[in-house]
Amino acid sequence: MADHTPTGPVELGAQMDYAEHDRTYKAFLALAKYGSLVCAAILLAMAFGFFVGGFFSGVILFIVITAVGALILR
């Protein structure tokens, strides 16, 4: 017997998994948000460590910026 369940694109009647779509979208937004925070924190900590302090002060500043940013972005 032929299987008549739609398996093609949405235009042809395929079922969408909206719950999975929402989870993927939320995960992408979280990754973009916190990834941008970490990139900005790394750049600021590297500049601070190079021009003002040293390696350890840059690492401490990176941890502080990341922690404060994570609290703000919640």
Side-chain angles (χ1 to χ4, degrees):
M1 291 258 177
D3 184 17
H4 294 293
T5 56
T7 58
V10 175
E11 294 84 15
L12 300 177
Q15 297 295 321
M16 291 292 294
D17 188 1
Y18 289 109
E20 184 65 29
H21 174 76
D22 286 340
R23 282 200 322 254
T24 303
Y25 183 68
K26 287 178 184 177
F28 171 76
L29 286 181
L31 182 66
K33 183 169 49 171
Y34 291 110
S36 298
L37 170 67
V38 169
C39 287
I42 286 174
L43 288 175
L44 289 171
M46 284 179 11
F48 181 82
F50 182 73
F51 290 112
V52 178
F55 173 75
F56 292 111
S57 62
V59 170
I60 292 171
L61 183 64
F62 170 74
I63 293 170
V64 168
I65 290 174
T66 305
V68 170
L71 287 175
I72 291 172
L73 289 178
R74 274 210 227 167

